[in-house]
Amino acid sequence: MSERLEKMDEFFASRLADYDEHMLNHVVGCKEGYQIVAKHIPSGVKKLLDLGCGTGLELEPILERLPDLSVTGVDLSAPMLDRLHGKFPDKNLNLICGSYIDMDFGCDLYDAAISFETLHHFSHSEKLDIYKNIFAALRPGALYIEGDYMVLTQSEEDELFAESARLRHIQNIQKGELYHFDTPCTINNQITMLRKAGFGEVSHIWREGGTSIIVARKLPRIVSVRKYPEYAERAIRYFPQKFGVAREIYDDCITNSLNSTSTLPQWYLMTDSHDNIIGGTGIIPNDFVSRMDIGPYLCALYIEPEWRCRGLAGILINRVKEDAARFGYENLYLCTDLQGFYERYGWHFIGYGHHPWGDTSRIYVFSGLNTNRK
């Protein structure tokens, strides 16, 4: 190992000629990891933030899946960004040459963010600040996917950080100056930092060699109308508009639920960072259907069209499942005309039910709610 550290931008610029070949063929896990990251980008993503985008190796499979994607890429190396632009001259790329450590990425702008083999050069505090900025830049429900060099033990992490500190001291490198040295964190520390930054769902999904992939989601706010009755009037206005049902039905149901001693009905609104409603749902004893021997029912699930294909329906469904289990129910039901949608979330078709107005709906069940909580 060299005793002399190189400036970060100079390090990568000097290795540009062999960079792609090195990453694809000599860094274990990268070639496969690029594909895995691409597969986890939701199909509804329109705007992507890519930190440390380099020559765009991670973007190649993503743009193959989503050719109309708008990408903002940030990297220290101007030569690498030039190569990236040359690879995709006809794509919608906004490339920024600079450090993303303290960069303001904006608020609620991106449908997803990624980084690949770039953040393993920074301290915990620097990473936490970066993660907070990523979190702020993402829209509710959006994913941040990180593929990076991570270690398995705290002792490995400590040794590398200590060696970095020693070499920086020898060269009299000041705090905040960007020099190249690998200081990977443990997977657990990565997950902890992402949760501290505000991400609600964080999971380690894959590892090969020293390359790991972590997926984190910025959860939208889900408002229980009973807990926050100031949202009742908004819910009363919202649901009739979406389902063409008389306002009086929702008004009577929601208003009288606020002070009810019964656990049902329950109503929920999903909101973005500006408190705009982007979806909603409810739990009711029966959804105007002949199968009154079973219940309760998930009802009125709706996601605004511009927010679909981002996993938000699943987030709402999971909230309803959690509350239904907390209320003591083992099973949750729903009736719908859709086929092939709820099956993705573990629901099972059990037959048909009939409505007073003459329509017939498919009946689904999600079983073992309290079993799934354990």
PDB file of all heavy atoms in Angstrom, residues 43-62:
ATOM      1  N   SER A  43     -40.510   0.940 -11.841  1.00  0.00           N
ATOM      2  CA  SER A  43     -40.827   1.301 -13.226  1.00  0.00           C
ATOM      3  C   SER A  43     -41.413   2.702 -13.360  1.00  0.00           C
ATOM      4  O   SER A  43     -41.351   3.304 -14.424  1.00  0.00           O
ATOM      5  CB  SER A  43     -41.800   0.278 -13.821  1.00  0.00           C
ATOM      6  OG  SER A  43     -43.008   0.235 -13.066  1.00  0.00           O
ATOM      7  N   GLY A  44     -41.984   3.228 -12.270  1.00  0.00           N
ATOM      8  CA  GLY A  44     -42.596   4.555 -12.327  1.00  0.00           C
ATOM      9  C   GLY A  44     -41.627   5.702 -12.132  1.00  0.00           C
ATOM     10  O   GLY A  44     -42.018   6.872 -12.182  1.00  0.00           O
ATOM     11  N   VAL A  45     -40.352   5.409 -11.923  1.00  0.00           N
ATOM     12  CA  VAL A  45     -39.360   6.458 -11.673  1.00  0.00           C
ATOM     13  C   VAL A  45     -39.137   7.283 -12.937  1.00  0.00           C
ATOM     14  O   VAL A  45     -38.925   6.742 -14.020  1.00  0.00           O
ATOM     15  CB  VAL A  45     -38.028   5.832 -11.200  1.00  0.00           C
ATOM     16  CG1 VAL A  45     -36.895   6.857 -11.258  1.00  0.00           C
ATOM     17  CG2 VAL A  45     -38.179   5.289  -9.790  1.00  0.00           C
ATOM     18  N   LYS A  46     -39.173   8.594 -12.765  1.00  0.00           N
ATOM     19  CA  LYS A  46     -38.938   9.510 -13.887  1.00  0.00           C
ATOM     20  C   LYS A  46     -37.678  10.345 -13.682  1.00  0.00           C
ATOM     21  O   LYS A  46     -37.012  10.714 -14.649  1.00  0.00           O
ATOM     22  CB  LYS A  46     -40.135  10.435 -14.080  1.00  0.00           C
ATOM     23  CG  LYS A  46     -41.404   9.731 -14.554  1.00  0.00           C
ATOM     24  CD  LYS A  46     -42.523  10.726 -14.763  1.00  0.00           C
ATOM     25  CE  LYS A  46     -43.762  10.052 -15.380  1.00  0.00           C
ATOM     26  NZ  LYS A  46     -44.329   9.017 -14.510  1.00  0.00           N
ATOM     27  N   LYS A  47     -37.352  10.658 -12.416  1.00  0.00           N
ATOM     28  CA  LYS A  47     -36.174  11.473 -12.120  1.00  0.00           C
ATOM     29  C   LYS A  47     -35.279  10.729 -11.141  1.00  0.00           C
ATOM     30  O   LYS A  47     -35.720  10.345 -10.047  1.00  0.00           O
ATOM     31  CB  LYS A  47     -36.583  12.829 -11.543  1.00  0.00           C
ATOM     32  CG  LYS A  47     -37.358  13.720 -12.501  1.00  0.00           C
ATOM     33  CD  LYS A  47     -37.630  15.091 -11.889  1.00  0.00           C
ATOM     34  CE  LYS A  47     -36.354  15.879 -11.692  1.00  0.00           C
ATOM     35  NZ  LYS A  47     -36.603  17.254 -11.212  1.00  0.00           N
ATOM     36  N   LEU A  48     -34.012  10.561 -11.518  1.00  0.00           N
ATOM     37  CA  LEU A  48     -33.056   9.787 -10.733  1.00  0.00           C
ATOM     38  C   LEU A  48     -31.868  10.653 -10.365  1.00  0.00           C
ATOM     39  O   LEU A  48     -31.323  11.383 -11.206  1.00  0.00           O
ATOM     40  CB  LEU A  48     -32.584   8.579 -11.544  1.00  0.00           C
ATOM     41  CG  LEU A  48     -31.480   7.715 -10.919  1.00  0.00           C
ATOM     42  CD1 LEU A  48     -32.024   6.913  -9.750  1.00  0.00           C
ATOM     43  CD2 LEU A  48     -30.870   6.790 -11.972  1.00  0.00           C
ATOM     44  N   LEU A  49     -31.418  10.548  -9.117  1.00  0.00           N
ATOM     45  CA  LEU A  49     -30.202  11.203  -8.640  1.00  0.00           C
ATOM     46  C   LEU A  49     -29.127  10.135  -8.493  1.00  0.00           C
ATOM     47  O   LEU A  49     -29.331   9.119  -7.818  1.00  0.00           O
ATOM     48  CB  LEU A  49     -30.459  11.885  -7.296  1.00  0.00           C
ATOM     49  CG  LEU A  49     -29.256  12.523  -6.600  1.00  0.00           C
ATOM     50  CD1 LEU A  49     -28.721  13.695  -7.417  1.00  0.00           C
ATOM     51  CD2 LEU A  49     -29.633  12.984  -5.188  1.00  0.00           C
ATOM     52  N   ASP A  50     -27.965  10.347  -9.121  1.00  0.00           N
ATOM     53  CA  ASP A  50     -26.861   9.385  -9.080  1.00  0.00           C
ATOM     54  C   ASP A  50     -25.633  10.087  -8.513  1.00  0.00           C
ATOM     55  O   ASP A  50     -25.057  10.974  -9.146  1.00  0.00           O
ATOM     56  CB  ASP A  50     -26.583   8.861 -10.493  1.00  0.00           C
ATOM     57  CG  ASP A  50     -25.514   7.760 -10.501  1.00  0.00           C
ATOM     58  OD1 ASP A  50     -24.957   7.454  -9.434  1.00  0.00           O
ATOM     59  OD2 ASP A  50     -25.244   7.210 -11.590  1.00  0.00           O
ATOM     60  N   LEU A  51     -25.229   9.674  -7.308  1.00  0.00           N
ATOM     61  CA  LEU A  51     -24.074  10.274  -6.646  1.00  0.00           C
ATOM     62  C   LEU A  51     -22.816   9.476  -6.953  1.00  0.00           C
ATOM     63  O   LEU A  51     -22.791   8.258  -6.809  1.00  0.00           O
ATOM     64  CB  LEU A  51     -24.301  10.320  -5.135  1.00  0.00           C
ATOM     65  CG  LEU A  51     -25.531  11.084  -4.659  1.00  0.00           C
ATOM     66  CD1 LEU A  51     -25.539  11.178  -3.143  1.00  0.00           C
ATOM     67  CD2 LEU A  51     -25.578  12.476  -5.273  1.00  0.00           C
ATOM     68  N   GLY A  52     -21.747  10.183  -7.346  1.00  0.00           N
ATOM     69  CA  GLY A  52     -20.520   9.510  -7.725  1.00  0.00           C
ATOM     70  C   GLY A  52     -20.723   8.699  -8.983  1.00  0.00           C
ATOM     71  O   GLY A  52     -20.274   7.550  -9.080  1.00  0.00           O
ATOM     72  N   CYS A  53     -21.365   9.300  -9.963  1.00  0.00           N
ATOM     73  CA  CYS A  53     -21.792   8.556 -11.155  1.00  0.00           C
ATOM     74  C   CYS A  53     -20.636   8.081 -12.018  1.00  0.00           C
ATOM     75  O   CYS A  53     -20.799   7.145 -12.809  1.00  0.00           O
ATOM     76  CB  CYS A  53     -22.758   9.396 -11.982  1.00  0.00           C
ATOM     77  SG  CYS A  53     -22.105  11.014 -12.469  1.00  0.00           S
ATOM     78  N   GLY A  54     -19.461   8.720 -11.905  1.00  0.00           N
ATOM     79  CA  GLY A  54     -18.301   8.271 -12.653  1.00  0.00           C
ATOM     80  C   GLY A  54     -18.556   8.199 -14.144  1.00  0.00           C
ATOM     81  O   GLY A  54     -19.086   9.121 -14.763  1.00  0.00           O
ATOM     82  N   THR A  55     -18.209   7.054 -14.734  1.00  0.00           N
ATOM     83  CA  THR A  55     -18.403   6.867 -16.175  1.00  0.00           C
ATOM     84  C   THR A  55     -19.772   6.277 -16.506  1.00  0.00           C
ATOM     85  O   THR A  55     -20.040   5.951 -17.661  1.00  0.00           O
ATOM     86  CB  THR A  55     -17.306   5.945 -16.747  1.00  0.00           C
ATOM     87  OG1 THR A  55     -17.436   4.649 -16.145  1.00  0.00           O
ATOM     88  CG2 THR A  55     -15.908   6.500 -16.487  1.00  0.00           C
ATOM     89  N   GLY A  56     -20.607   6.089 -15.485  1.00  0.00           N
ATOM     90  CA  GLY A  56     -21.988   5.652 -15.741  1.00  0.00           C
ATOM     91  C   GLY A  56     -22.185   4.163 -15.876  1.00  0.00           C
ATOM     92  O   GLY A  56     -23.170   3.724 -16.474  1.00  0.00           O
ATOM     93  N   LEU A  57     -21.292   3.358 -15.286  1.00  0.00           N
ATOM     94  CA  LEU A  57     -21.453   1.906 -15.388  1.00  0.00           C
ATOM     95  C   LEU A  57     -22.782   1.437 -14.807  1.00  0.00           C
ATOM     96  O   LEU A  57     -23.428   0.540 -15.348  1.00  0.00           O
ATOM     97  CB  LEU A  57     -20.295   1.197 -14.683  1.00  0.00           C
ATOM     98  CG  LEU A  57     -18.935   1.282 -15.392  1.00  0.00           C
ATOM     99  CD1 LEU A  57     -17.830   0.748 -14.483  1.00  0.00           C
ATOM    100  CD2 LEU A  57     -18.967   0.514 -16.701  1.00  0.00           C
ATOM    101  N   GLU A  58     -23.197   2.040 -13.684  1.00  0.00           N
ATOM    102  CA  GLU A  58     -24.462   1.641 -13.067  1.00  0.00           C
ATOM    103  C   GLU A  58     -25.665   2.141 -13.857  1.00  0.00           C
ATOM    104  O   GLU A  58     -26.763   1.597 -13.746  1.00  0.00           O
ATOM    105  CB  GLU A  58     -24.542   2.136 -11.620  1.00  0.00           C
ATOM    106  CG  GLU A  58     -24.686   3.635 -11.457  1.00  0.00           C
ATOM    107  CD  GLU A  58     -23.367   4.384 -11.588  1.00  0.00           C
ATOM    108  OE1 GLU A  58     -22.324   3.737 -11.817  1.00  0.00           O
ATOM    109  OE2 GLU A  58     -23.381   5.610 -11.455  1.00  0.00           O
ATOM    110  N   LEU A  59     -25.459   3.182 -14.687  1.00  0.00           N
ATOM    111  CA  LEU A  59     -26.570   3.744 -15.453  1.00  0.00           C
ATOM    112  C   LEU A  59     -26.898   2.937 -16.703  1.00  0.00           C
ATOM    113  O   LEU A  59     -28.021   3.003 -17.210  1.00  0.00           O
ATOM    114  CB  LEU A  59     -26.258   5.188 -15.850  1.00  0.00           C
ATOM    115  CG  LEU A  59     -26.285   6.223 -14.724  1.00  0.00           C
ATOM    116  CD1 LEU A  59     -25.837   7.575 -15.244  1.00  0.00           C
ATOM    117  CD2 LEU A  59     -27.671   6.308 -14.100  1.00  0.00           C
ATOM    118  N   GLU A  60     -25.923   2.191 -17.213  1.00  0.00           N
ATOM    119  CA  GLU A  60     -26.154   1.458 -18.462  1.00  0.00           C
ATOM    120  C   GLU A  60     -27.352   0.512 -18.376  1.00  0.00           C
ATOM    121  O   GLU A  60     -28.258   0.583 -19.214  1.00  0.00           O
ATOM    122  CB  GLU A  60     -24.880   0.718 -18.867  1.00  0.00           C
ATOM    123  CG  GLU A  60     -23.764   1.672 -19.280  1.00  0.00           C
ATOM    124  CD  GLU A  60     -22.491   0.943 -19.669  1.00  0.00           C
ATOM    125  OE1 GLU A  60     -22.573  -0.262 -20.004  1.00  0.00           O
ATOM    126  OE2 GLU A  60     -21.414   1.568 -19.634  1.00  0.00           O
ATOM    127  N   PRO A  61     -27.432  -0.384 -17.366  1.00  0.00           N
ATOM    128  CA  PRO A  61     -28.609  -1.251 -17.295  1.00  0.00           C
ATOM    129  C   PRO A  61     -29.873  -0.513 -16.885  1.00  0.00           C
ATOM    130  O   PRO A  61     -30.983  -0.927 -17.238  1.00  0.00           O
ATOM    131  CB  PRO A  61     -28.213  -2.309 -16.260  1.00  0.00           C
ATOM    132  CG  PRO A  61     -27.156  -1.665 -15.432  1.00  0.00           C
ATOM    133  CD  PRO A  61     -26.418  -0.752 -16.356  1.00  0.00           C
ATOM    134  N   ILE A  62     -29.729   0.585 -16.155  1.00  0.00           N
ATOM    135  CA  ILE A  62     -30.909   1.357 -15.754  1.00  0.00           C
ATOM    136  C   ILE A  62     -31.540   2.028 -16.970  1.00  0.00           C
ATOM    137  O   ILE A  62     -32.757   1.965 -17.175  1.00  0.00           O
ATOM    138  CB  ILE A  62     -30.535   2.403 -14.683  1.00  0.00           C
ATOM    139  CG1 ILE A  62     -30.108   1.721 -13.386  1.00  0.00           C
ATOM    140  CG2 ILE A  62     -31.710   3.343 -14.418  1.00  0.00           C
ATOM    141  CD1 ILE A  62     -29.550   2.677 -12.348  1.00  0.00           C
TER     142      ILE A  62
END
